[in-house]
Amino acid sequence: MKASRSIYLFFFTLLLYLSCNQDDPLEGHWHMISARQLEEPFQKDTYHNTFDYPVLAKEGEGNCRWGAGVGVYDGFGGYTEKPYINVGPSCFGGNFTYKIEGNNLKLYDPEGTLEHVGYKCDYGCCEKQKEFFLDINVEIDLATLKDTSKSVLQLEQLSLITNFYLGESLTSISDISTNSDRLSTGFKFITIEEISLALEKQKVKIPENKRDRQSIAIYPNSNSNLVLLSQLLAKLSELGFSKVHIAMRDDSDLLKEIKVRYLEVETNTTIERAAERTIGEWLISL
């Protein structure tokens, strides 16, 4: 009798262990592309977004990150037996039913229309810094910060921060060729003279009682010279901003993760030989 109980207990424990340790086919890192842009076969280098499961996206962690949770939902407020992924909210929100076919993930809207297709990306198939700036229209390689004691890992009150990006243009337009350094809000190129307007457009999105706390974060390409950054700092000083946070990164493995750190810099800082030095050289010297 005892032997029989021991056998049952053994198999029950084994089944419990196996059920708890089965790999979830949804788990992993996915590169996503809109079904409207779908190519056959799926092109790994054309993805427009990323999606990690079961790790949820954190506020401010990169641009346009997708977080996901799995459950049963029909998209209209009721529950069914179909699995769903809740996507958002940094870019958009929505509930999608999904299918996994090998390494492909397909997301469907409540009407059954294919909206997005994903390809599972294992370790080493992509660079995390590239994904951090995936939807930004300038090329950015952040300077590497060796002494992290001078920086902060995360900024407070992200809703109060206006971001500027400085790097080589990834888009060729009529008056500017690709590979020229540009200042960007992330989606739109702007000039130094247009900074005030860009700040005002962001300010109206901030609750009125907090608008005097608007702050600035700058993400610069380390290989660009200092001319444009010097002009940006001078303009921000003129507009009443006494300090900004400039993004750098630690020396972690970019195939695994990127840890962005922020260095506080006064806008009235004097930058000598701006045309002769790179942003990375200057930041490391601070």
Side-chain angles (χ1 to χ4, degrees), residues 45 57 75 78 101 122 129 141 150 155 159 167 271 274:
D45 58 349
E101 299 175 355
D122 295 322
Q129 180 172 239
D141 179 16
K150 299 178 181 179
L155 300 179
S159 60
I271 299 179

Side-chain angles (χ1 to χ4, degrees), residues 4 16 34 72 89 114 124 131 135 145 159 173 197 200 216 221 258 264 270-271 278:
S4 177
L16 184 63
S34 169
V72 287
L114 180 64
E131 293 194 343
D135 57 344
L145 182 66
S159 60
I173 55 179
L197 178 60
E200 285 300 317
I216 308 294
N221 180 34
I258 178 173
E264 188 174 281
T270 301
I271 299 179
T278 66

Side-chain angles (χ1 to χ4, degrees), residues 1-14:
M1 187 72 173
K2 289 183 178 180
S4 177
R5 287 181 178 177
S6 297
I7 292 173
Y8 286 138
L9 182 61
F10 169 79
F11 279 108
F12 175 79
T13 304
L14 179 63

Side-chain angles (χ1 to χ4, degrees), residues 30 99-106 108:
W30 300 85
K99 290 182 181 178
I100 297 177
E101 299 175 355
N103 282 333
N104 288 329
L105 170 68
K106 295 184 176 181
Y108 299 84

Side-chain angles (χ1 to χ4, degrees), residues 12 16 26 49 72 116 124 133 182 198 237 255:
F12 175 79
L16 184 63
L26 186 61
N49 223 316
V72 287
H116 303 279
F133 296 112
R182 294 299 310 272
S237 178
L255 293 178

Side-chain angles (χ1 to χ4, degrees), residues 31-34 37 46-50 66 92 116 134-135:
H31 289 174
M32 306 302 297
I33 188 170
S34 169
Q37 301 171 322
T46 60
Y47 60 99
H48 67 85
N49 223 316
T50 64
W66 290 21
F92 63 91
H116 303 279
L134 189 59
D135 57 344

Side-chain angles (χ1 to χ4, degrees), residues 37-141:
Q37 301 171 322
L38 185 62
E39 298 176 8
E40 295 292 346
F42 182 81
Q43 300 296 313
K44 296 181 184 180
D45 58 349
T46 60
Y47 60 99
H48 67 85
N49 223 316
T50 64
F51 153 42
D52 291 278
Y53 180 82
V55 180
L56 297 181
K58 297 178 182 179
E59 184 183 9
E61 186 178 310
N63 302 282
C64 237
R65 286 293 188 268
W66 290 21
V70 176
V72 287
Y73 187 73
D74 66 5
F76 298 99
Y79 288 81
T80 71
E81 293 303 316
K82 294 182 179 180
Y84 86 101
I85 292 178
N86 178 267
V87 178
S90 58
C91 295
F92 63 91
N95 295 300
F96 301 92
T97 58
Y98 72 88
K99 290 182 181 178
I100 297 177
E101 299 175 355
N103 282 333
N104 288 329
L105 170 68
K106 295 184 176 181
L107 303 185
Y108 299 84
D109 69 11
E111 286 75 34
T113 302
L114 180 64
E115 290 287 337
H116 303 279
V117 175
Y119 182 90
K120 183 173 282 190
C121 172
D122 295 322
Y123 169 79
C125 80
C126 59
E127 187 194 87
K128 299 308 177 184
Q129 180 172 239
K130 177 183 176 183
E131 293 194 343
F132 189 90
F133 296 112
L134 189 59
D135 57 344
I136 304 302
N137 56 4
V138 292
E139 182 77 27
I140 295 176
D141 179 16

Side-chain angles (χ1 to χ4, degrees), residues 42-275:
F42 182 81
Q43 300 296 313
K44 296 181 184 180
D45 58 349
T46 60
Y47 60 99
H48 67 85
N49 223 316
T50 64
F51 153 42
D52 291 278
Y53 180 82
V55 180
L56 297 181
K58 297 178 182 179
E59 184 183 9
E61 186 178 310
N63 302 282
C64 237
R65 286 293 188 268
W66 290 21
V70 176
V72 287
Y73 187 73
D74 66 5
F76 298 99
Y79 288 81
T80 71
E81 293 303 316
K82 294 182 179 180
Y84 86 101
I85 292 178
N86 178 267
V87 178
S90 58
C91 295
F92 63 91
N95 295 300
F96 301 92
T97 58
Y98 72 88
K99 290 182 181 178
I100 297 177
E101 299 175 355
N103 282 333
N104 288 329
L105 170 68
K106 295 184 176 181
L107 303 185
Y108 299 84
D109 69 11
E111 286 75 34
T113 302
L114 180 64
E115 290 287 337
H116 303 279
V117 175
Y119 182 90
K120 183 173 282 190
C121 172
D122 295 322
Y123 169 79
C125 80
C126 59
E127 187 194 87
K128 299 308 177 184
Q129 180 172 239
K130 177 183 176 183
E131 293 194 343
F132 189 90
F133 296 112
L134 189 59
D135 57 344
I136 304 302
N137 56 4
V138 292
E139 182 77 27
I140 295 176
D141 179 16
L142 295 175
T144 303
L145 182 66
K146 300 295 184 182
D147 183 4
T148 58
S149 65
K150 299 178 181 179
S151 66
V152 295
L153 187 58
Q154 287 191 337
L155 300 179
E156 300 290 336
Q157 296 288 313
L158 296 177
S159 60
L160 306 180
I161 298 172
T162 298
N163 297 321
F164 289 108
Y165 304 86
L166 194 161
E168 294 183 354
S169 169
L170 294 175
T171 306
S172 180
I173 55 179
S174 59
D175 60 334
I176 297 292
S177 61
T178 305
N179 299 327
S180 297
D181 283 343
R182 294 299 310 272
L183 180 63
S184 172
T185 59
F187 302 97
K188 180 182 179 181
F189 295 121
I190 61 171
T191 63
I192 295 297
E193 291 71 27
E194 294 172 320
I195 290 174
S196 178
L197 178 60
L199 288 169
E200 285 300 317
K201 288 182 177 180
Q202 286 298 114
K203 183 179 285 189
V204 298
K205 301 176 183 179
I206 300 173
E208 191 171 350
N209 63 339
K210 297 182 180 180
R211 289 177 183 173
D212 60 341
R213 294 163 55 192
Q214 183 181 25
S215 57
I216 308 294
I218 302 172
Y219 297 82
N221 180 34
S222 63
N223 297 317
S224 298
N225 68 46
L226 282 159
V227 173
L228 191 53
L229 179 60
S230 178
Q231 294 172 349
L232 174 58
L233 292 176
K235 186 63 177 181
L236 292 171
S237 178
E238 178 187 317
L239 294 172
F241 292 89
S242 61
K243 62 184 179 181
V244 298
H245 284 93
I246 298 183
M248 301 177 71
R249 62 178 173 86
D250 69 7
D251 58 356
S252 59
D253 180 2
L254 289 179
L255 293 178
K256 184 178 180 180
E257 64 179 350
I258 178 173
K259 290 185 179 179
V260 178
R261 306 192 71 94
Y262 299 89
L263 198 65
E264 188 174 281
V265 176
E266 295 183 355
T267 56
N268 62 359
T269 300
T270 301
I271 299 179
E272 299 178 350
R273 298 183 293 112

